[in-house]
Amino acid sequence: MKKQKKKKIRRFYKQSIWPSIVLFLLFIASCVGMVLTFVASFQGYLMDSKIADIHEDARNLGRMIDMHTDNHAAVFDAVTFVKKYLEEENDICITDENDRVLKCFGASEPDFERLQEIKIFDSYRIIPDLDPKRPHEKRMLLTSFMDIAKLSVDALAESGYETDKWMDEPLFHEYYWVQIPADVQGYHLYYKDSLIILQKNVFFMNLAILAELLMLSIPTILLFVNVLSSIRMQKRMISLLYQDSVTGGKNWCYFLEQSRKILCRLRNTNHTYAVVNLHMIRYQDYCACNGVREGEALLKKISGFLQVNMDRGETFARFARADFGLLLRCADAQQCQKRLKKMLVELTGVKKDKMMSFSAGIYLLRPAANRKSLQRRQIDINQTYHFASAARDSMRGKEGEYMKVFDQQILQEQLWKHKVEEKMEAALLNGEFQLYLQPKYHPVTEKILGAEALVRWISEEDGMIPPNRFIPVFEENGFITRLDDYMISEVAKLQSEWKINGQKQIPVSVNISRVHFVKEDLAEHICHLVDGYGADHALIELELTESAFFGNKKLLQTILKKLKMCGFCLAIDDFGAGYSSLNSLKDLPIDVLKLDMDFFRGEDTLQRGEIVVKETIRLAKALDMKIVAEGIEKKEQVEFLAEQGCDMIQGFYFAKPMPADQFNQIMKRETQHT
Ligand code: C2E
Ligand code: MG
Ligand code: MG
């Protein structure tokens, strides 16, 4: 996965939920704050208004005493006079300036010992009354909403839930000694008053708080639902983002992310891990036979099987087509291979009625020797998977092998591939690809009847590079079409030179890679290249391998027919090497059949091999095709082929591929002889 995509996913993950959650928490905090402020201010207001009443009483009393006090000695008389007009409970007490009680009018007196309970309101001192009949705790000013609410509920229960009566009953009835603000020198006057809070005061306060809570609860619920739904939505989006559309399991993004997490966990750094490329062989054919739906159902089954076989701390996902990436934890390479082997065997039976085979490439991540390199953060999972695929790829064409661990040799191959890809463009521009020609001889007259154009890469750094070192790379990356175009042009140029020089002209074959046969206008394209040099179409033979027949057969037929109409000669190269399709001989307008050199290798060449060659030549003759035998190295082989009526022989027995100049010399000599 591209780094940018990974970043986007992480950014998305971080961004979309947290702001909503933080916003929600902030909202809840501000609601709680609002309710608390409301309760505190309501409570404060209630108490302050009651205390203000007491103060008012104290101030009035002060004025009355002042009115009846002519001199200081008359204070006692004035208080005695005023007391007569007060309620019985409103005791008055006279103290000196140090709050030593001088005289009290009434049944009780203030306790100046309880200094810590003295509160100052509006600069007047106020002291809770010490009444032994009531419990001490009740004698304090109420401080919290909870206290008031609790008292109120208790009182409601006591009243037998008669709300009318309950409303006018006092909830809180407390006595306080309040300093009287009278203008009397040398004395302090205190009078006792009660602070009453009725049930209805608290009831309405509770009602207001409830209303506020209700009002706040609506946006809170809405916001909560919103946060919940956005969390759900995000989860769904993440699961969609990480879901493989075919198997329903996890996809490649997930695999990369999860593998990175597993490998980076500190406790996992001491374990060996294997990044595996598990591949179903010939999935394409399976789909062709059973349909794409069946193919996808099979992939689902494979995914289900892998899911069951994964241990904790392991993961897997489908990469593409029938390729799966696995991250396995293993003790060592042997244990990993053993486990995979078992899985591969069991997988062949995942669909009872179908025969399937699987292969796997492994890249081992061993624990590092030092602590610093234990950090596996730097590991590029995509790259390791690529190495595992390269290991699997390296088994291509090797029968019986189905599992391979990435090693130094494969790494060298990878490096080579990289180097080839880096240099190919410049090499083409600098003319490093050179035309070599291998002559084709008549088996009896031993005269040159034709030649095959073979490319050689003459590199300054690596010397002469044979085609099998770079052609497979070019076929993979598509550069082969450019190289083939170049070779066609070189051959066309050579033909026109021979024509201009009045030399003998012989047909020259050029290899056309199967990669070309997706271009609908291939025939027109080749015509255009050849016509650019004015070469004769009939003298250019196009060799295509049997693997070209596995693509779109209809398109291939159309292209070949067009090429034929343009006058080119068509040959099947390496006939008999792969899955020989005799049908192609029937359906395609082929002129030449080139027998694969493997017919002339091995032990039984002289018995069974000879029969096959003999019969193939007979078949080709019957179909009016010319036969070229390739890779002929021995005289007996030439004699045998001559006996069978083979038309041409190409092989080291006569000549190896040579540079075009050298071939020209031979051709000049041949021209002079005739
Ligand atoms: P091919 O087209 O089948 O070419 C014949 C190969 O057999 C050549 O190998 C040739 O050198 C080799 N050969 C011929 N006679 C003998 C013999 O007696 N003994 C042995 N051991 N080998 C013999 P070369 O040149 O290495 O080419 C290998 C393959 O690379 C070619 O097989 C062809 O498929 C591909 N190739 C070469 N040049 C081009 C090109 O320009 N375009 C494309 N698309 N493929 C090319
Ligand atoms: Mg060839
Ligand atoms: Mg060949």
Side-chain angles (χ1 to χ4, degrees):
M1 188 180 53
K2 307 276 170 298
K3 265 187 183 154
Q4 270 186 342
K5 202 170 176 188
K6 269 203 257 175
K7 262 188 197 164
K8 264 188 197 169
I9 292 173
R10 246 177 265 153
R11 215 180 303 143
F12 165 76
Y13 193 79
K14 275 181 192 159
Q15 273 181 0
S16 38
I17 268 202
W18 296 115
S20 317
I21 292 178
V22 169
L23 209 74
F24 178 70
L25 291 177
L26 278 177
F27 182 74
I28 292 285
S30 62
C31 285
V32 170
M34 270 167 78
V35 171
L36 288 179
T37 322
F38 180 78
V39 169
S41 51
F42 199 94
Q43 192 183 326
Y45 163 76
L46 200 69
M47 297 304 280
D48 285 355
S49 63
K50 296 285 174 188
I51 288 165
D53 284 350
I54 298 176
H55 283 169
E56 192 51 41
D57 290 349
R59 250 177 252 121
N60 290 338
L61 217 58
R63 268 183 234 121
M64 272 174 74
I65 290 168
D66 282 343
M67 269 167 51
H68 295 89
T69 313
D70 314 279
N71 56 57
H72 292 167
V75 170
F76 283 73
D77 295 337
V79 172
T80 313
F81 174 76
V82 169
K83 173 74 175 105
K84 274 190 254 169
Y85 297 97
L86 296 177
E87 302 272 330
E88 198 184 322
E89 61 179 22
N90 294 130
D91 299 339
I92 297 181
C93 207
I94 303 172
T95 68
D96 63 12
E97 281 176 72
N98 297 321
D99 280 338
R100 273 195 297 269
V101 176
L102 300 175
K103 184 167 173 63
C104 275
F105 301 85
S108 54
E109 60 183 72
D111 178 11
F112 291 103
E113 299 287 293
R114 297 168 61 88
L115 271 174
Q116 73 277 15
E117 289 185 29
I118 294 176
K119 312 254 173 187
I120 311 260
F121 288 101
D122 282 352
S123 77
Y124 302 130
R125 288 189 295 174
I126 182 166
I127 307 158
D129 177 44
L130 195 72
D131 186 348
K133 279 176 235 147
R134 279 188 300 228
H136 176 70
E137 306 88 86
K138 278 208 167 188
R139 255 175 270 132
M140 289 182 213
L141 282 175
L142 296 176
T143 50
S144 79
F145 166 72
M146 285 309 287
D147 294 339
I148 296 175
K150 194 172 173 304
L151 278 177
S152 147
V153 171
D154 289 349
L156 184 63
E158 267 172 38
S159 75
Y161 296 97
E162 283 179 37
T163 40
D164 285 352
K165 201 173 132 205
W166 173 82
M167 284 273 203
D168 290 320
E169 265 180 23
L171 168 72
F172 176 81
H173 191 175
E174 194 65 54
Y175 290 90
Y176 291 94
W177 284 94
V178 185
Q179 193 178 4
I180 300 168
D183 186 22
V184 282
Q185 283 286 314
Y187 301 109
H188 282 162
L189 302 179
Y190 290 92
Y191 105 105
K192 193 168 119 185
D193 201 353
S194 63
L195 190 148
I196 301 171
I197 295 172
L198 297 178
Q199 300 281 12
K200 63 179 165 203
N201 298 136
V202 177
F203 174 79
F204 288 119
M205 182 177 102
N206 285 352
L207 216 62
I209 291 168
L210 215 67
E212 195 192 10
L213 279 176
L214 259 174
M215 265 160 55
L216 288 176
S217 67
I218 294 165
T220 309
I221 289 167
L222 285 180
L223 211 68
F224 184 68
V225 169
N226 185 274
V227 168
L228 269 189
S229 71
S230 60
I231 289 173
R232 265 185 48 204
M233 174 117 94
Q234 198 193 21
K235 275 195 169 177
R236 172 111 189 90
M237 282 181 81
I238 286 171
S239 83
L240 278 178
L241 213 68
Y242 283 144
Q243 195 178 42
D244 180 50
S245 55
V246 175
T247 61
K250 297 289 188 240
N251 65 9
W252 198 243
C253 293
Y254 177 85
F255 180 77
L256 295 178
E257 193 78 354
Q258 189 63 11
S259 301
R260 198 184 54 82
K261 271 188 204 161
I262 293 172
L263 290 172
C264 287
R265 265 177 218 145
L266 209 65
R267 63 170 186 268
N268 289 342
T269 45
N270 282 328
H271 290 288
T272 299
Y273 278 88
V275 177
V276 179
N277 162 224
L278 189 133
H279 169 81
M280 179 187 163
I281 299 166
R282 282 196 288 283
Y283 171 71
Q284 203 93 327
D285 295 354
Y286 184 92
C287 288
C289 298
N290 304 290
V292 178
R293 276 207 182 165
E294 265 291 307
E296 291 189 351
L298 176 66
L299 293 180
K300 240 182 213 175
K301 281 217 158 211
I302 296 172
S303 174
F305 171 86
L306 292 175
Q307 183 72 58
V308 174
N309 280 275
M310 287 296 113
D311 285 342
R312 265 193 81 198
E314 296 182 342
T315 188
F316 82 97
R318 194 176 72 94
F319 175 68
R321 294 185 181 209
D323 278 274
F324 288 81
L326 280 62
L327 180 79
L328 302 180
R329 201 165 118 164
C330 24
D332 51 37
Q334 279 79 20
Q335 190 255 337
C336 171
Q337 277 174 290
K338 208 171 145 193
R339 186 171 161 207
L340 253 177
K341 189 176 169 184
K342 189 170 165 271
M343 275 163 81
L344 293 183
V345 171
E346 284 176 17
L347 265 172
T348 54
V350 80
K351 265 224 148 164
K352 299 255 164 354
D353 50 337
K354 304 272 177 351
M355 268 301 288
M356 289 167 300
S357 45
F358 294 84
S359 61
I362 305 164
Y363 183 84
L364 281 172
L365 291 166
R366 294 195 171 86
N370 58 64
R371 184 123 195 106
K372 211 173 174 193
S373 48
L374 275 179
Q375 305 291 324
R376 283 169 159 161
R377 268 169 234 287
Q378 306 304 324
I379 292 173
D380 180 348
I381 310 291
N382 250 332
Q383 180 67 54
T384 56
Y385 179 76
H386 180 75
F387 285 149
S389 309
R392 191 184 58 73
D393 249 21
S394 69
M395 294 184 289
R396 206 178 277 172
K398 292 179 188 163
E399 264 177 53
E401 275 192 58
Y402 55 88
M403 198 158 61
K404 181 108 187 147
V405 180
F406 185 84
D407 56 17
Q408 273 308 309
Q409 199 188 334
I410 302 168
L411 180 67
Q412 289 310 318
E413 279 299 316
Q414 288 288 305
L415 293 174
W416 171 253
K417 201 173 142 185
H418 186 70
K419 188 173 169 182
V420 165
E421 289 187 336
E422 221 174 43
K423 302 207 160 181
M424 59 191 189
E425 285 283 351
L428 190 64
L429 284 175
N430 300 339
E432 289 181 24
F433 294 109
Q434 290 189 10
L435 171 70
Y436 270 55
L437 291 157
Q438 188 179 26
K440 294 173 191 169
Y441 289 83
H442 188 277
V444 183
T445 62
E446 297 194 356
K447 281 199 167 167
I448 298 177
L449 298 181
E452 179 176 6
L454 295 160
V455 69
R456 294 290 180 268
W457 184 348
I458 317 288
S459 149
E460 251 183 50
E461 192 185 333
D462 300 287
M464 185 197 281
I465 310 168
N468 61 354
R469 294 284 285 137
F470 57 88
I471 297 270
V473 183
F474 291 175
E475 282 187 327
E476 215 178 293
N477 64 25
F479 189 71
I480 192 70
T481 55
R482 305 258 310 271
L483 182 70
D484 284 353
D485 285 356
Y486 171 77
M487 290 297 280
I488 293 169
S489 307
E490 285 295 291
V491 168
K493 197 161 92 184
L494 190 74
Q495 288 284 11
S496 73
E497 274 171 16
W498 285 345
K499 198 172 161 184
I500 293 164
N501 297 340
Q503 265 178 252
K504 183 184 168 191
Q505 280 182 271
I506 53 162
V508 177
S509 61
V510 193
N511 292 286
I512 305 288
S513 167
R514 65 191 140 86
V515 179
H516 285 277
F517 289 90
V518 287
K519 276 192 206 158
E520 278 183 42
D521 62 344
L522 182 66
E524 291 83 348
H525 177 69
I526 293 177
C527 278
H528 176 73
L529 288 175
V530 173
D531 294 344
Y533 293 93
D536 192 348
H537 291 189
L539 290 172
I540 291 176
E541 193 177 294
L542 304 170
E543 287 188 20
L544 48 141
T545 51
E546 283 177 276
S547 57
F549 305 158
F550 285 113
N552 182 344
K553 202 164 178 186
K554 212 157 186 146
L555 181 64
L556 178 73
Q557 251 173 340
T558 319
I559 295 172
L560 292 187
K561 272 183 192 158
K562 271 200 225 167
L563 285 167
K564 195 89 201 82
M565 273 163 57
C566 292
F568 292 106
C569 188
L570 301 176
I572 298 187
D573 200 358
D574 305 335
F575 184 80
Y579 304 91
S580 284
S581 157
L582 290 173
N583 248 351
S584 56
L585 296 183
K586 177 171 74 71
D587 301 332
L588 303 172
I590 305 292
D591 306 291
V592 180
L593 197 143
K594 289 188 82 180
L595 286 176
D596 187 61
M597 63 176 82
D598 270 3
F599 280 121
F600 311 100
R601 304 277 177 274
E603 294 299 307
D604 60 352
T605 319
L606 294 169
Q607 284 124 41
R608 296 172 73 88
E610 275 185 1
I611 298 168
V612 176
V613 172
K614 203 165 130 185
E615 291 307 314
T616 311
I617 293 176
R618 211 162 62 86
L619 176 70
K621 291 249 166 230
L623 290 168
D624 203 19
M625 288 171 146
K626 287 212 173 325
I627 287 277
V628 179
E630 261 189 308
I632 305 303
E633 292 179 349
K634 294 176 189 152
K635 193 168 185 264
E636 310 87 74
Q637 291 171 334
V638 179
E639 284 167 359
F640 166 74
L641 288 163
E643 238 172 72
Q644 301 312 316
C646 179
D647 299 290
M648 278 176 263
I649 298 226
Q650 180 185 344
F652 293 176
Y653 175 74
F654 286 115
K656 287 189 172 182
M658 60 192 84
D661 287 347
Q662 197 181 329
F663 186 83
N664 259 336
Q665 298 304 321
I666 298 173
M667 284 299 293
K668 271 182 191 159
R669 259 182 269 137
E670 282 235 342
T671 319
Q672 279 160 11
H673 286 164
T674 48

